[in-house]
Amino acid sequence: MPSLAPAAIRTRVRIPLRFGDGYETEAEVVTFTGLEDGLEHLALGLGAFDAVDVPLVRPHSECLTGDVFGSQRCDCGAQLREAAERITDAGGWLLYLRQEGRGIGLYNKLDAYALQDQGLDTYAANRALEFADDERDYTAAAQMLAALGVRRAALLTNNPDKPARLRELGLQVEAVHRTGVHLRPANAHYLRAKAEQTGHALDLGGLLGRAA
């Protein structure tokens, strides 16, 4: 198991949140010093985050197009909205990780979209741009949780790589809970690729035909 360099809490501030559909909650937003990659990741404490033995944690990678502009080509914005409510109900942490486009950056992600428009799937497009299928690193996420005193957690994710990587980094993952399947006509090909190529826990079943 790799040893983690210690990170420290820099600032804590309470921020009321309101989503586009009217859902409201309040977050304790935490910033850090000493994160390995030097990026400005955030931890949002939701609900009774400081009163639960096993907090619910979602490591959510930034997606400007989905989270901010409501892009229908992915499920990121819908997962973010779902996570905010589920973590508020359970108590825990939303880790907002600055890893746009599975770690390749915003411009490269849009280049990959252009290749997808030519028929490549999301992973083939990354490889055509000479990137790995997934360039993300979860060391900073593990550092953040350690700085927050979180040693045990339940994860909210469909991606089998996240619990595996965080376990390798020393987090005791007690359970893994799936997010919903946020299927739309514009993201059906994307979700199918995630399920078939990287084992995401997405029960698409007969939904693909209805989304077409």
Side-chain angles (χ1 to χ4, degrees):
M1 180 185 303
S3 59
L4 288 177
I9 291 172
R10 179 178 182 272
T11 306
R12 305 178 82 119
V13 59
R14 301 290 295 191
I15 298 178
L17 305 179
R18 188 176 192 278
F19 289 81
D21 62 356
Y23 176 72
E24 296 182 355
T25 187
E26 186 175 74
E28 180 160 302
V29 181
V30 183
T31 67
F32 301 86
T33 60
L35 296 178
E36 183 174 280
D37 58 15
L39 299 179
E40 294 183 330
H41 307 293
L42 299 175
L44 283 73
L46 298 166
F49 61 88
D50 54 355
V52 291
D53 291 332
V54 182
L56 182 61
V57 173
R58 173 162 177 78
H60 184 91
S61 296
E62 177 182 41
C63 176
L64 179 71
T65 51
D67 297 343
V68 177
F69 298 116
S71 169
Q72 302 291 287
R73 293 187 63 145
C74 63
D75 55 349
C76 304
Q79 286 185 318
L80 180 65
R81 163 64 182 86
E82 177 190 356
E85 184 169 0
R86 289 180 64 178
I87 297 172
T88 296
D89 290 344
W93 294 93
L94 173 63
L95 305 183
Y96 198 77
L97 305 173
R98 311 302 298 274
Q99 301 184 129
E100 182 80 46
R102 292 198 299 271
I104 68 175
L106 179 60
Y107 278 19
N108 287 320
K109 181 179 82 170
L110 294 174
D111 290 343
Y113 277 2
L115 291 173
Q116 290 170 44
D117 288 342
Q118 298 173 28
L120 299 184
D121 67 41
T122 181
Y123 300 108
N126 274 29
R127 293 192 292 269
L129 294 171
E130 299 185 351
F131 292 109
D133 287 356
D134 193 333
E135 295 274 351
R136 288 175 293 185
D137 185 291
Y138 294 98
T139 302
Q143 288 179 293
M144 293 159 72
L145 292 172
L148 293 166
V150 176
R151 302 291 184 270
R152 304 162 58 219
L155 295 189
L156 181 60
T157 182
N158 297 326
N159 184 350
D161 191 48
K162 290 180 181 179
R165 301 278 288 280
L166 286 168
R167 285 185 175 111
E168 290 172 357
L169 291 162
L171 180 68
Q172 187 172 336
V173 178
E174 299 283 343
V176 178
H177 302 290
R178 298 183 183 186
T179 70
V181 179
H182 303 286
L183 178 66
R184 308 178 187 92
N187 70 14
H189 188 53
Y190 167 78
L191 294 185
R192 184 197 292 274
K194 290 208 298 185
E196 293 180 351
Q197 296 196 45
T198 50
H200 282 60
L202 292 164
D203 186 9
L204 299 174
L207 296 176
L208 286 172
R210 293 201 293 273

